[in-house]
């Protein structure tokens, strides 16, 4: 790989990482710079999970339309994203019931599962490139 | 450009696509805050955006 391309890839990864600091980004967008309470922290993680769920679904839909994901893969991804909704809703219910610790746990698990899905899709995109090349 | 580079670029571009969508949503949250919407209203709106996006993915996956 040329040095120039390494720089491009690193720049993209850095940009993604910066935008990816989104629990901080969401917290700042929701509550500004102030210190947040446990309840506010829980709500930030829930909203971040919803935002990540939406972002993955939007990217997935675009990739299906562009032919980068098959329709079967798209349908599977939609079902997977749908399966996280109950956890996000449970976290929201816990926040509303003042069970902040429960909410944080549920929302954190949902967010981590969504991050895993995102990483898996990125890896799959790379593998598809390799398969197309073969 | 060799295969390793293309694979890395493809993975990075996918991640960048997701990050771009996420950044758009964060921008929408900031706009809603600036408009004086409550935390509850914003959270409800985010759920709606996520559900719409999943539905759009389902529709794209079922389109002929």
């Amino acid at each position: 790989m040329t040095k120039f391309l390494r720089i491009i890839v690193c720049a993209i990864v850095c940009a993604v990482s910066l935008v990816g600091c989104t629990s901080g980004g969401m917290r700042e967008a929701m509550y500004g710079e102030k210190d947040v309470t446990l309840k506010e922290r829980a709500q930030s993680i829930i909203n971040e999970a919803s935002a990540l769920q939406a972002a993955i679904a939007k990217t997935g839909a675009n990739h299906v339309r562009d032919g980068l994901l098959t329709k079967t893969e798209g349908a599977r991804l939609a079902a997977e994203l749908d399966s996280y909704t109950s956890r996000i809703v449970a976290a929201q219910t816990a926040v509303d019931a003042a069970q902040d610790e429960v909410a944080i746990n549920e929302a954190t698990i949902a967010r981590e599962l969504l991050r895993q899905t995102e990483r898996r899709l990125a890896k799959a995109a790379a593998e598809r490139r390799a398969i197309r090349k073969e | 450009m060799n295969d390793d580079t293309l694979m890395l670029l493809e993975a990075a571009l996918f991640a960048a696509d997701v990050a771009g969508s996420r950044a758009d949503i964060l921008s929408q949250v900031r706009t809603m805050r600036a408009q004086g919407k409550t935390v509850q209203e914003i959270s409800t709106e985010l759920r709606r955006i996520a559900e719409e996006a999943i539905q759009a993915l389902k529709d794209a996956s079922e389109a002929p």
Side-chain angles (χ1 to χ4, degrees), chain A residues 1 5 9 12 16 19 22 25-26 28-31 43 47-48 50-55 57-61 63-64 71 74-75 77-78 81-82 85 88 118 121-122 125-126 129-130 132-133, chain B residues 1-23 25-26 28-30 33 39 42-43 46-47 49-51 53-54 56-58 60-64:
Chain A
M1 196 187 310
L5 283 168
V9 171
I12 293 171
V16 170
V19 181
T22 41
M26 180 62 75
E28 183 271 329
M30 295 287 297
Y31 302 109
Q43 191 63 63
N47 288 356
E48 167 53 18
S50 294
L52 187 52
Q53 196 184 29
K58 282 181 182 179
T59 304
H63 281 225
V64 170
K71 290 182 178 180
L77 174 60
L81 292 174
D82 247 348
T85 299
I88 296 172
E118 181 190 5
L121 285 170
R129 160 70 66 181
R132 280 203 301 274
K133 186 74 183 171
Chain B
M1 203 182 290
N2 65 32
D3 288 351
D4 287 347
T5 310
L6 289 171
M7 282 177 68
L8 262 175
L9 274 175
E10 195 121 351
L13 288 173
F14 182 92
D17 274 353
V18 175
S21 291
R22 229 169 356 178
I25 293 167
L26 268 184
Q28 284 177 262
V29 170
R30 290 196 181 93
R33 284 304 277 167
V39 167
I42 294 171
S43 303
L46 283 175
R47 288 301 322 135
I49 291 170
E51 279 161 21
I54 292 173
L57 173 58
K58 286 178 183 169
S61 302
E62 286 166 6

Side-chain angles (χ1 to χ4, degrees), chain A residues 38-39 42 90-91 93-105:
Chain A
L38 214 53
K39 181 187 176 75
T93 305
V95 167
D96 297 341
Q99 295 175 318
D100 300 332
E101 296 279 3
V102 175
I104 287 173
N105 285 342

Side-chain angles (χ1 to χ4, degrees), chain B residues 31-47:
Chain B
T31 304
M32 286 188 271
R33 284 304 277 167
Q35 289 168 342
K37 289 200 174 172
T38 65
V39 167
Q40 192 177 13
E41 285 170 333
I42 294 171
S43 303
T44 304
E45 181 64 11
L46 283 175
R47 288 301 322 135

